[in-house]
Structures are given as structure tokens and as C-alpha cells.
Amino acid sequence: MKVAVVGAGVIGSAIAWRLAQRGTEVLLVDSGQPGEATSRCSFAWANASSVEDPAYFALREHGLRELKGLADHLGTRWVLATGHLRWAAAEADSAKLRGRVAALAARGYPAEIVTARHANDAIEPHVRFPDPHHPVAHFPTEPSIDAPRLAKQLTSLAVAHGATALLGRPVKAVGVNRTRITDVTVGATSYPVDAVVNAAGPHSDLVAKMIGRELRLIEEPGLVARLRCTTAPVRQAMHAPCVEIRVDGRHKVLIHSRIVDNKLGPTGYAQPSHIEELRSLAGEVVPELADAEPADARVGWRPIPWDGFPSLGSAAGVHGYYEAVTHSGVTLCAIVGLLLADEILTDAKHPLLAPFRPDRSDHTTQAPSSPPLPL
Ligand SMILES: Cc1cc2nc3c(=O)[nH]c(=O)nc-3n(C[C@H](O)[C@H](O)[C@H](O)COP(=O)(O)OP(=O)(O)OC[C@H]3O[C@@H](n4cnc5c(N)ncnc54)[C@H](O)[C@@H]3O)c2cc1C
């Protein structure tokens, strides 16, 4: 069997590796370089704590477990840190957070409330919390991932298992003979294949169009900036009320804010003032960051299918076409790689993916007891 995987972000590279590992002939094609698109612009915090939908929570919990298994198996060079803090400003939001932590802990998910003083003493000495008694949610097992590094390692492993990687070249067409995938066109060359995996992230709608399928994506740009520091003043990841901050290696910190994202507008164009606002928000939480020099700033487009949930697996109508399109791809890459490869090779449709199949009508969420926390 020959499979073309379109896109070598965290999702496509994980699928390509799993397929190649099982002896499949794999053609991994990326118009750029592995992990350099959305995966480079990600806050890259792997978690299940930010969602309430039960099916999505289950998929993400398995995703975390698989990601940990991957780190045990491949080595942890792409795990930047483990642990996450979250706190709220308003009292009502703090009460909600307490409730959420209690619900998660009751399910066996590692989550606890600590005081700000404890968080300063034991976890993040440089963070300025509202007061020493302020409640802070601590999720000790949620990792932050160096997603580009992971995608590069998975691509190399796929190649080591015999995959062919065509990098810096886009797939221009996907051939279909009546209802069956026949080939992909890269440059002037057509490659015969039995199956195509659409893992093109925010461009997956264009790849779907190549077979006449409409894949609607919600367009949501996000700005992340990396700040250069002599020594990173944070150890792990955190959601403060207005800004998210995480370590990005020994000398860098990555920052992101939904408040700034909402000002980018539909074009996603980031002005210097947006980066300044982001840094200023980060400086209010970690004073050392107020003057830190931006090393780079990028806008990524979250690959969010039409109803906000992943689109994973085969699509009816065209035999050999598979979709692997999702927000939270960093959290889900390991489980998606495993389950999609299995589905392609054995036609087994895993129950975890049942609510997220490409041909569903809108995913129906059980009414959450409180709104999901923002990612
Ligand atoms: C601001 C922001 C914050 C985020 N925070 C988190 C978070 O904390 N946790 C989390 O889990 N997720 C988070 N995400 C989402 C996560 O980053 C994405 O879900 C994930 O990176 C998607 O990976 P991917 O491999 O699907 O896409 P990408 O990384 O975009 O890879 C797709 C690849 O396809 C290639 N491609 C596109 N079209 C073609 C073509 N025609 N031919 C060949 N190649 C093509 C591109 O070059 C690209 O390399 C965040 C995203 C953003 C933008």
C-alpha cells in the first residue's frame, strides 16, 4: 500500500511515522519544512483540562497518555517543561476554576488548588500573583512541547523507516478515478498512491477541495511572540487572566494572549503595537519580561473544523481519502498518529474517533456545567 501524507506538521509527521513503522510505503509532502507552519506558532501546551465535552476530553486524555508514551520511547528533547498553572482575576471566575479543578480531580485527572504563596515558593518564584492567598490551579502533568522539534524528529524517523519526504514542494492536485484516490501531483510529477491523508493544517480546506470535498474551517489567527532572556524567568506554562506564558528553552519565553488575538482582525495582520501590548501584558505577570527583547513574533491560523471539533478519519464518497485536521494538534498528535495509521492499514474505526468523523453533522456537545476554559 502506498500512502501520501500531505503536511509534515505535528499531525502529518506523526501519521507518516506510524505508517512507515508498520512497513507502509509513505510519501510525506510539505510545501515548507516539518513543523514550521502552525506547529511553530503554537502555545503548544498539551492538556485535557481546557475542555468539558466528554468525548473530546476522553480523546485528549488518551492523547496525553500517548504523548507521554512517545516521550518515553523517543526521548524527551521536545518536552520543554511539565506542569501548568492557571488563575483568574474575578472572584466569580476563581470560584468556577475551583469547581473545575474539583471535577477534574474527582475524575482522577492530576489537578489541585494551591495558594499563590505556595506557587511562588515551590514552582514559579518570579510570577506576580494578585495576593499570597490567591487560589491557583496547578496541573502538574501537563507538558509544553517543542512542536517543530517533535515534527522534525518524527519526519526523520519516518524517513529512517523508508518514507520518502518531499519538502519545500506543495501538493498541487489529488487524482481521483470515480470514487478512488489514484495519485498526487507534486511539481510536474504525478505519484501513484492508494490513499491520501490530508494533514495540511489551516490549508486542509484547499487540499479537500482537490477531491471536490468542502471542508469548512473556522478562521482564527493567533499571535505568539518569543522573548529573549538571559535566563528564562518561568519554569513551565501558565494561563494568567490576560496572557499565557511558557518557557521556550533556557533563554526564551513564549507569550500569547486572546485579548491581542481578538485585535488582529480577519486578515491576521500583526502590527508592532500588538507585540508591544503582548509584552506589556506578560510584564505585568513576570516583571523580568517587561523589557525582554522579542526574538520573533508570528501569526498562526488555528486549524479548526466547522463545529470547533477535530475532523479525523476516512470520508465517505472517495475511497482512500483521510482527514486529520484539528485544533489542539499538539495535544492530539500522538493519538491521532496511532489511530489514523491503524484505520488506514486495517480499516479499523476506533470508537474514540466516532464523534469526530469527517462525515458527521455538527458534533453535539453534552451541555457543559460551565463554559470551557480558553486554549
Ligand atoms: C496561537 C496558537 C496557539 C495554540 N495553542 C495550542 C496549545 O496550547 N495546545 C495545542 O494542543 N494546540 C495549540 N494550537 C493548535 C496547534 O498548534 C495546531 O493544532 C497544530 O500545530 C496543527 O498541526 P498540523 O500538523 O495539523 O498543522 P501545521 O503545523 O500547520 O502543518 C501543516 C503542514 O502542511 C503543509 N501544507 C499545507 N498545504 C500543503 C500542500 N498543498 N502541499 C504540501 N504541504 C502543505 C504546511 O506547509 C504545513 O507544514 C495553537 C495554535 C495557535 C495558532
Side-chain angles (χ1 to χ4, degrees):
M1 185 177 201
K2 189 159 183 176
V3 181
V5 179
V6 187
V10 278
I11 294 286
S13 61
I15 298 169
W17 171 56
R18 285 296 189 186
L19 285 169
Q21 206 184 26
R22 292 175 67 172
T24 317
E25 219 181 312
V26 176
L27 187 67
L28 176 59
V29 192
D30 198 294
S31 45
Q33 295 298 316
E36 291 299 323
T38 322
S39 302
R40 164 76 65 193
C41 308
S42 183
F43 189 63
W45 150 63
N47 75 91
S49 63
S50 63
V51 301
E52 294 219 349
D53 176 82
Y56 200 24
F57 180 86
L59 180 65
R60 295 172 75 110
E61 233 191 351
H62 279 79
L64 281 175
R65 224 168 288 149
E66 258 332 294
L67 204 56
K68 181 168 183 323
L70 207 59
D72 292 343
H73 183 62
L74 303 180
T76 55
R77 284 192 309 174
W78 40 268
V79 179
L80 291 162
T82 304
H84 180 253
L85 297 177
R86 183 191 282 270
W87 65 101
E91 218 161 280
D93 292 335
S94 287
K96 257 190 228 160
L97 187 57
R98 278 183 190 281
R100 183 94 185 99
V101 165
L104 286 164
R107 279 180 189 167
Y109 190 90
E112 59 179 349
I113 293 286
V114 299
T115 62
R117 176 174 291 142
H118 175 83
N120 275 146
D121 289 348
I123 308 167
E124 296 287 4
H126 300 283
V127 172
R128 194 185 276 168
F129 295 103
D131 70 76
H133 306 290
H134 201 81
V136 177
H138 179 218
F139 305 95
T141 58
E142 293 178 343
S144 301
I145 302 298
D146 184 337
R149 191 167 194 165
L150 175 56
K152 284 175 179 51
Q153 185 175 1
L154 292 172
T155 299
S156 300
L157 285 169
V159 170
H161 278 93
T164 301
L166 297 178
L167 303 177
R169 284 185 275 172
V171 166
K172 289 192 170 152
V174 177
V176 179
N177 181 356
R178 276 196 278 249
T179 58
R180 182 172 285 275
I181 293 287
T182 54
D183 61 284
V184 291
T185 305
V186 184
T189 311
S190 158
Y191 296 84
V193 293
D194 304 295
V196 165
V197 182
N198 180 357
H203 297 294
S204 52
D205 53 344
L206 302 178
V207 175
K209 216 178 199 167
M210 293 176 191
I211 63 150
R213 173 176 157 77
E214 189 196 3
L215 166 60
R216 275 182 299 116
L217 296 181
I218 298 169
E219 300 208 325
E220 244 188 50
L223 170 68
V224 297
R226 289 176 168 83
L227 303 178
R228 210 173 275 121
C229 314
T230 316
T231 307
V234 296
R235 294 178 179 159
Q236 39 181 252
M238 66 200 70
H239 271 66
C242 300
V243 66
E244 291 122 57
I245 305 172
R246 71 157 165 84
V247 66
D248 194 54
R250 276 172 55 196
H251 306 292
K252 270 191 233 150
V253 162
L254 184 140
I255 56 177
H256 168 254
S257 168
R258 282 275 177 179
I259 294 172
V260 178
D261 286 357
N262 291 340
K263 295 180 180 173
L264 294 177
T267 60
Y269 183 70
Q271 313 257 12
S273 60
H274 293 127
I275 300 162
E276 196 38 60
E277 182 177 359
L278 195 49
R279 183 171 65 165
S280 151
L281 288 169
E284 282 169 28
V285 178
V286 180
E288 281 88 337
L289 296 178
D291 302 319
E293 211 41 49
D296 82 349
R298 293 163 191 251
V299 173
W301 292 81
R302 299 172 175 89
I304 311 180
W306 66 98
D307 58 0
F309 291 93
S311 180
L312 301 169
S314 59
V318 179
H319 187 80
Y321 172 80
Y322 297 84
E323 232 154 56
V325 182
T326 181
H327 184 43
S328 296
V330 177
T331 304
L332 297 175
C333 59
I335 188 79
V336 167
L338 192 71
L339 298 186
L340 263 273
D342 205 49
E343 180 170 333
I344 293 163
L345 297 180
T346 69
D347 213 20
K349 294 185 170 48
H350 198 283
L352 265 180
L353 300 187
F356 306 111
R357 303 210 65 87
D359 294 317
R360 67 175 181 269
S361 47
D362 288 359
H363 177 79
T364 41
T365 308
Q366 271 187 20
S369 49
S370 62
L373 305 166
L375 186 70

